[in-house]
Amino acid sequence: MSELSKARIPDAPAIQRLPLLQLILVGLQHVLLMYGGAIAVPLIIGQAAGLSREEIAFLINADLLVAGIATIVQSLGIGPVGIRMPVMMGASFAAVGSMFAMAGMPGIGLQGIFGATIAAGFFGMIIAPFMSKVVRFFPPLVTGTVITSIGLSLFPVAVNWAGGGAAASQFGSPIYLTIAALVLGTILLVHRFMRGFWVNISVLIGMCLGYILCGLLGMVDLSGMTQAPWLQFVTPLHFGMPKFELAPILSMCLVVVIIFVESTGMFLALGKITGQDVCPRMLRRGLLCDAGASFFAGFFNTFTHSSFAQNIGLVQMTGVRCRSVTIVAGGLLIVLSLLPKAAFLVASIPPAVLGGAAIAMFGMVAATGIKILQEADIADRRNQLLVAVSIGMGLIPVVRPEFFAHLPVWMSPITHSGIAMATLSALTLNLLFNILGGAERAAINDCHAH
């Protein structure tokens, strides 16, 4: 990063005064990176519930609207809600397994899912002040391990995209690999030879070149775009009044706890990247926004929301740490929710284009974790074991998602989340080795000293 670009990037709490065009372009990068994940959850649940294409499109627009509003609140901070850091929000994958099962249950369906989402969001708002006090259990040893695991658990997504998408009939085709390599190579060259503004939008430059190449090769599918309306408003309770059933509510409350564990790791990661000390008060504000977004999401026909780990890598790689960028990105998400044709155009970006950018950005998240681990006593054998086991546990759902298939269904939000597995493992082992074993370790160190 050049001295010029460093001089133009203030600390995260500031609302950075960048030229409007630059704000829009950098914000657009955030939207393009998280868009695939944002629309995946409503797409999966809509199909499981047997909705028509038009109704699924409505679900996607509803999700974009809530994600945009939640992103603005999280980044800007309104009253006691919002962590005031460059955070992007979207529908959480932690709830997909539970909601997929609910969608096929007689008497539950979408209305039961929305009711469970509302109840779980309310539950989250109640427990957020208590969950925020766990910051003291996240020293650099735990934080670095969790952040490294976040990057590693995201990496299969990048590889699947780069190969043409997990559902591609010719996965790994040379044309997909070439496109991904072009995007990645462009980003690297911009970082090597350009400065300031151009570095800030390096991901956008690479993705635009990749998209143009895909268009010339006939790989951009715009079929159905002419049928999409120009303007569509998301109306609350579009699918009817929510239903409140005990079993779905309990399942979603567990999901919210897992989301809080994941978000805590992500907020601490972002704090390290932006140079912010994430105190319990800040964490409480961030978790309240997660829970509040989920609460209102149920009324607006969408699902539990959380902070998106994908965008942490973008903050690290571009060096644009100010929250004004994600505020603009939230506004773009709201615009996309109102303009189905524009949302359709963004959705037409081929996976290989996203993959080339994601390889660099998700890798940057892991690199940040490794950097933080340097602050810990990693020479200690117990700490090495903590890192090794926790990263290994986090990779289990990534390497073999069916590994825990025979465990109870209610555990799936934990066992299917590499981030949750790594976080819980690191917290438990740190408690065992360094907190409960602190007196024993101090005695051993004193003996060695004498």
Side-chain angles (χ1 to χ4, degrees):
M1 184 72 61
S2 67
E3 291 300 318
L4 175 61
S5 60
K6 283 182 180 177
R8 298 178 64 182
I9 301 172
D11 290 336
I15 299 293
Q16 188 172 355
R17 293 183 178 179
L18 291 176
L20 180 60
L21 177 60
Q22 185 170 350
L23 275 178
I24 292 173
L25 291 177
V26 180
L28 182 59
Q29 286 183 136
H30 278 284
V31 172
L32 294 179
L33 179 63
M34 61 85 67
Y35 191 87
I39 69 173
V41 175
L43 189 62
I44 293 169
I45 303 306
Q47 289 173 345
L51 300 184
S52 66
R53 184 172 180 175
E54 291 74 19
E55 289 174 323
I56 291 176
F58 186 90
L59 271 186
I60 291 172
N61 287 343
D63 181 63
L64 293 176
L65 175 65
V66 174
I69 295 172
T71 295
I72 292 173
V73 173
Q74 190 72 281
S75 303
L76 182 62
I78 297 177
V81 180
I83 199 168
R84 295 179 179 173
M85 286 179 20
V87 175
M88 293 295 294
M89 299 282 290
S92 172
F93 276 90
V96 168
S98 299
M99 293 191 298
F100 191 89
M102 291 179 210
M105 290 180 184
I108 304 296
L110 274 181
Q111 291 169 301
I113 292 174
F114 295 146
T117 301
I118 292 169
F122 183 74
F123 169 75
M125 288 189 284
I126 294 174
I127 68 168
F130 304 99
M131 290 289 291
S132 65
K133 299 183 185 300
V134 302
V135 173
R136 66 191 184 95
F137 295 108
F138 281 84
L141 177 67
V142 174
T143 304
T145 302
V146 170
I147 296 169
T148 302
S149 296
I150 291 173
L152 294 177
S153 65
L154 287 172
F155 218 75
V157 177
V159 174
N160 279 329
W161 282 345
S169 58
Q170 293 183 310
F171 182 83
S173 169
I175 187 63
Y176 296 140
L177 303 186
T178 301
I179 292 166
L182 171 69
V183 175
L184 177 59
T186 301
I187 293 171
L188 295 175
L189 289 174
V190 169
H191 274 262
R192 171 61 182 85
F193 295 106
M194 307 296 283
R195 295 290 183 270
F197 168 73
W198 299 108
V199 170
N200 294 346
I201 63 167
S202 59
V203 174
L204 184 62
I205 294 171
M207 292 179 66
C208 284
L209 287 177
Y211 188 84
I212 292 170
L213 176 60
C214 288
L216 295 175
L217 295 174
M219 296 171 60
V220 176
D221 182 13
L222 296 176
S223 59
M225 184 174 178
T226 53
Q227 286 78 31
W230 281 103
L231 185 66
Q232 184 179 47
F233 292 96
V234 175
T235 52
L237 305 177
H238 177 80
F239 295 93
M241 292 298 293
K243 296 179 181 178
F244 298 93
E245 302 286 343
L246 182 59
I249 288 174
L250 292 176
S251 176
M252 293 298 279
C253 286
L254 174 61
V255 167
V256 165
V257 174
I258 299 306
I259 287 174
F260 278 4
V261 172
E262 293 181 346
S263 291
T264 298
M266 293 178 211
F267 292 148
L268 292 171
L270 203 52
K272 292 292 185 179
I273 291 171
T274 58
Q276 293 300 116
D277 182 18
V278 179
C279 61
R281 180 172 174 270
M282 286 181 65
L283 183 57
R284 182 179 73 247
R285 294 177 62 94
L287 297 180
L288 277 173
C289 188
D290 277 9
S294 299
F295 177 77
F296 287 105
F299 291 103
F300 280 88
N301 323 289
T302 187
F303 314 107
T304 49
H305 272 56
S306 66
S307 309
F308 263 38
Q310 294 96 313
N311 296 83
I312 295 175
L314 184 58
V315 174
Q316 170 73 337
M317 192 172 72
T318 63
V320 181
R321 304 172 295 166
C322 62
R323 54 197 172 109
S324 54
V325 170
T326 48
I327 292 171
V328 170
L332 291 175
L333 286 174
I334 295 173
V335 170
L336 288 174
S337 76
L338 300 174
L339 303 174
K341 285 188 184 292
F344 197 102
L345 187 64
V346 175
S348 70
I349 298 174
V353 175
L354 294 171
I359 286 174
M361 285 179 290
F362 297 170
M364 286 294 284
V365 177
T368 300
I370 295 170
K371 178 182 177 183
I372 295 169
L373 282 173
Q374 294 176 352
E375 302 174 22
D377 183 13
I378 203 64
D380 187 296
R381 191 176 297 276
R382 290 182 183 179
N383 289 345
Q384 292 175 10
L385 193 58
L386 181 151
V387 174
V389 171
S390 300
I391 289 178
M393 294 295 290
L395 287 177
I396 289 175
V398 174
V399 177
R400 292 300 293 266
E402 70 277 17
F403 188 84
F404 296 109
H406 297 289
L407 294 183
V409 175
W410 64 266
M411 295 183 66
S412 60
I414 303 172
T415 57
H416 284 73
S417 169
I419 298 172
M421 291 286 290
T423 302
L424 293 174
S425 174
L427 285 172
T428 303
L429 292 178
N430 185 60
L431 185 66
L432 175 65
F433 290 159
N434 298 322
I435 296 179
L436 297 180
E440 173 195 346
R441 177 170 295 193
I444 292 173
N445 289 339
D446 287 342
C447 289
H448 287 165
H450 294 91

